[in-house]
Amino acid sequence: MTRRRHLPNDDDISAFREALTEAGVRRIATNQADPGKPKQDGKAHEARRHAAVQSDAKQVSGRTSDGRVEAVRPSEYLEFSVVDLPLRTFSQLKRGQTAWQSGLDLHGYTLEEARTELESFLRDSASQGLRCVLVVHGKAWGTTSDFPVLKSHTNTWLREWPGVLAFCSAVPVDGGTGAVYILLRKRGL
């Protein structure tokens, strides 16, 4: 037994469209899928960069140390989590399954500028209620040292920051061992 598909006539189509309009249904503005990657806010990045450059380089930061850090290798995988973080949450972060909402690139900064910029970025991200962010520290060797300076210091600074629940090296598409995903504490906790 075959069934014929009922094709609506013009009156049915008009009645359907009228019902949609009365129900408040609006036409979709774009026919493109959301890829899930956040768009970079160039203005916010430039404002943070300008503030970091303008700040007094001799100003002592209250959140992170400027003392000795443990040197890490350029290709070393970084990871850290607070003790009570659920294993599933940390595993999702390490697999790159937690979508990052904002990013910061530390290339081109001096050590003190990078620290100021990172602290400002973490404060801004926490105040906006962001849950996961990406920081690109690179893995270049320092000119006066035999280890990647920004990577090593970022590893230390993030462990000291009270709002950081966990961080780990990114998946290759997001920068690999030259970047870290940072899971931030929810606002109000």
Side-chain angles (χ1 to χ4, degrees), residues 13-14 16-32:
I13 293 172
S14 296
F16 179 72
R17 287 187 176 150
E18 186 176 312
L20 288 176
T21 304
E22 289 173 6
V25 176
R26 292 178 284 127
R27 186 176 289 275
I28 296 175
T30 172
N31 192 17
Q32 293 181 339

Short mmCIF file of all heavy atoms in Angstrom, two decimals, residues 13-14 16-32:
data_model
loop_
_atom_site.label_atom_id
_atom_site.label_comp_id
_atom_site.label_asym_id
_atom_site.label_seq_id
_atom_site.Cartn_x
_atom_site.Cartn_y
_atom_site.Cartn_z
N ILE A 13 -0.70 27.13 3.17
CA ILE A 13 0.60 27.78 3.41
C ILE A 13 0.39 29.16 4.01
O ILE A 13 1.06 29.54 4.98
CB ILE A 13 1.42 27.87 2.09
CG1 ILE A 13 1.83 26.47 1.64
CG2 ILE A 13 2.65 28.74 2.28
CD1 ILE A 13 2.47 26.42 0.27
N SER A 14 -0.55 29.92 3.51
CA SER A 14 -0.84 31.25 4.04
C SER A 14 -1.33 31.17 5.48
O SER A 14 -0.92 31.97 6.34
CB SER A 14 -1.89 31.97 3.19
OG SER A 14 -1.39 32.19 1.89
N PHE A 16 -0.67 28.81 7.64
CA PHE A 16 0.46 28.41 8.47
C PHE A 16 1.37 29.60 8.77
O PHE A 16 1.76 29.82 9.91
CB PHE A 16 1.25 27.29 7.76
CG PHE A 16 2.46 26.83 8.52
CD1 PHE A 16 2.32 26.08 9.67
CD2 PHE A 16 3.74 27.15 8.08
CE1 PHE A 16 3.43 25.65 10.37
CE2 PHE A 16 4.85 26.73 8.77
CZ PHE A 16 4.69 25.98 9.93
N ARG A 17 1.70 30.38 7.76
CA ARG A 17 2.55 31.55 7.96
C ARG A 17 1.89 32.57 8.87
O ARG A 17 2.56 33.19 9.71
CB ARG A 17 2.90 32.18 6.61
CG ARG A 17 3.89 31.36 5.83
CD ARG A 17 4.35 32.06 4.58
NE ARG A 17 5.37 31.23 3.93
CZ ARG A 17 5.57 31.21 2.64
NH1 ARG A 17 4.85 31.96 1.84
NH2 ARG A 17 6.51 30.44 2.12
N GLU A 18 0.58 32.75 8.74
CA GLU A 18 -0.14 33.68 9.59
C GLU A 18 -0.12 33.20 11.05
O GLU A 18 0.08 33.99 11.97
CB GLU A 18 -1.59 33.81 9.10
CG GLU A 18 -2.37 34.88 9.84
CD GLU A 18 -3.77 35.03 9.25
OE1 GLU A 18 -3.89 35.13 8.03
OE2 GLU A 18 -4.70 35.06 10.06
N ALA A 19 -0.26 31.90 11.26
CA ALA A 19 -0.22 31.34 12.61
C ALA A 19 1.17 31.54 13.23
O ALA A 19 1.29 31.85 14.42
CB ALA A 19 -0.59 29.85 12.57
N LEU A 20 2.22 31.37 12.44
CA LEU A 20 3.58 31.60 12.93
C LEU A 20 3.77 33.06 13.33
O LEU A 20 4.37 33.36 14.37
CB LEU A 20 4.60 31.21 11.87
CG LEU A 20 4.79 29.72 11.60
CD1 LEU A 20 5.77 29.51 10.44
CD2 LEU A 20 5.28 29.00 12.83
N THR A 21 3.28 33.97 12.52
CA THR A 21 3.40 35.40 12.81
C THR A 21 2.66 35.75 14.09
O THR A 21 3.18 36.47 14.95
CB THR A 21 2.86 36.24 11.63
OG1 THR A 21 3.56 35.87 10.44
CG2 THR A 21 3.05 37.72 11.89
N GLU A 22 1.47 35.22 14.25
CA GLU A 22 0.69 35.48 15.46
C GLU A 22 1.35 34.91 16.70
O GLU A 22 1.23 35.46 17.80
CB GLU A 22 -0.72 34.91 15.31
CG GLU A 22 -1.58 35.67 14.32
CD GLU A 22 -2.92 34.98 14.07
OE1 GLU A 22 -3.23 33.97 14.73
OE2 GLU A 22 -3.66 35.48 13.19
N ALA A 23 2.05 33.81 16.55
CA ALA A 23 2.74 33.18 17.69
C ALA A 23 4.05 33.88 18.02
O ALA A 23 4.69 33.56 19.02
CB ALA A 23 3.00 31.71 17.38
N GLY A 24 4.47 34.84 17.20
CA GLY A 24 5.70 35.58 17.48
C GLY A 24 6.95 34.93 16.95
O GLY A 24 8.07 35.29 17.35
N VAL A 25 6.83 33.96 16.08
CA VAL A 25 7.99 33.28 15.51
C VAL A 25 8.63 34.21 14.48
O VAL A 25 7.96 34.79 13.65
CB VAL A 25 7.57 31.94 14.84
CG1 VAL A 25 8.76 31.28 14.17
CG2 VAL A 25 6.95 31.02 15.87
N ARG A 26 9.96 34.37 14.61
CA ARG A 26 10.69 35.24 13.69
C ARG A 26 11.57 34.41 12.78
O ARG A 26 12.04 33.34 13.14
CB ARG A 26 11.57 36.21 14.48
CG ARG A 26 10.77 37.23 15.27
CD ARG A 26 11.66 38.14 16.07
NE ARG A 26 12.15 37.40 17.24
CZ ARG A 26 13.44 37.29 17.58
NH1 ARG A 26 14.35 37.89 16.88
NH2 ARG A 26 13.79 36.60 18.64
N ARG A 27 11.81 34.94 11.60
CA ARG A 27 12.68 34.29 10.62
C ARG A 27 14.12 34.32 11.14
O ARG A 27 14.56 35.31 11.73
CB ARG A 27 12.59 35.02 9.29
CG ARG A 27 13.34 34.33 8.16
CD ARG A 27 13.13 35.04 6.85
NE ARG A 27 11.78 34.87 6.32
CZ ARG A 27 11.39 33.83 5.59
NH1 ARG A 27 12.25 32.87 5.32
NH2 ARG A 27 10.18 33.76 5.12
N ILE A 28 14.87 33.27 10.92
CA ILE A 28 16.27 33.19 11.32
C ILE A 28 17.07 34.19 10.50
O ILE A 28 16.94 34.25 9.27
CB ILE A 28 16.82 31.77 11.12
CG1 ILE A 28 16.08 30.80 12.05
CG2 ILE A 28 18.31 31.73 11.39
CD1 ILE A 28 16.46 29.35 11.83
N ALA A 29 17.91 34.96 11.18
CA ALA A 29 18.67 36.01 10.51
C ALA A 29 19.78 35.45 9.61
O ALA A 29 20.07 35.99 8.57
CB ALA A 29 19.26 36.96 11.53
N THR A 30 20.40 34.37 10.05
CA THR A 30 21.51 33.81 9.28
C THR A 30 21.36 32.30 9.21
O THR A 30 20.88 31.68 10.15
CB THR A 30 22.87 34.19 9.88
OG1 THR A 30 23.89 33.47 9.20
CG2 THR A 30 22.95 33.94 11.34
N ASN A 31 21.81 31.74 8.15
CA ASN A 31 21.70 30.31 7.95
C ASN A 31 23.07 29.66 8.11
O ASN A 31 23.47 28.81 7.32
CB ASN A 31 21.12 30.01 6.56
CG ASN A 31 20.73 28.55 6.42
OD1 ASN A 31 20.60 27.85 7.41
ND2 ASN A 31 20.56 28.11 5.19
N GLN A 32 23.82 30.08 9.14
CA GLN A 32 25.14 29.53 9.37
C GLN A 32 25.20 28.97 10.78
O GLN A 32 24.65 29.54 11.72
CB GLN A 32 26.21 30.61 9.22
CG GLN A 32 26.35 31.11 7.80
CD GLN A 32 27.43 32.17 7.68
OE1 GLN A 32 27.79 32.80 8.66
NE2 GLN A 32 27.91 32.37 6.48
#
